[in-house]
Amino acid sequence: MKGMKTGGRKKGTPNKENPLKGFIKSHSLAYFEPKEVKCDDGKKRTLSHFDLDIQALAPDDRVNAELRLLEFHTPKMKAIDMDVNANVNVLTIEDKLRALCGKDEENDNDDDDE
């Protein structure tokens, strides 16, 4: 039956759960989830493990980590090379009519001489 769906999953059927993807997602979310943590100065603050790891980095490493994380949220821009040369032949209406009739300019010039 061409054009008709005859087998496979029914429309709206969700994909099967992948246990590895579920584990990775929950682990990643837990890493960024804020929790109450006792800091070095003895005060309790609400920070995630990510925040603590970022604070432990040197400033230049922190910048590099932030830049690498941005790659996941913003698409990379690619350079595009374009050749912008255009060959334009301007045809008059007479030229277009000659082309439609199938006549060449040489034939028309011979007819004019007679």
Side-chain angles (χ1 to χ4, degrees), residues 38-91:
K38 191 173 187 179
C39 293
D40 294 336
D41 59 0
K43 295 182 180 177
K44 290 186 178 181
R45 297 196 178 127
T46 305
L47 298 170
S48 67
H49 289 290
F50 172 76
D51 293 329
L52 294 171
D53 290 343
I54 287 292
Q55 287 177 1
L57 291 174
D60 56 338
D61 291 335
R62 190 176 308 141
V63 169
N64 288 333
E66 292 287 341
L67 289 174
R68 294 207 43 204
L69 280 173
L70 280 175
E71 291 177 6
F72 291 99
H73 298 286
T74 55
K76 280 193 173 185
M77 303 298 266
K78 292 184 179 180
I80 298 174
D81 293 330
M82 287 183 48
D83 185 19
V84 191
N85 294 330
N87 295 328
V88 179
N89 293 333
V90 179
L91 298 176

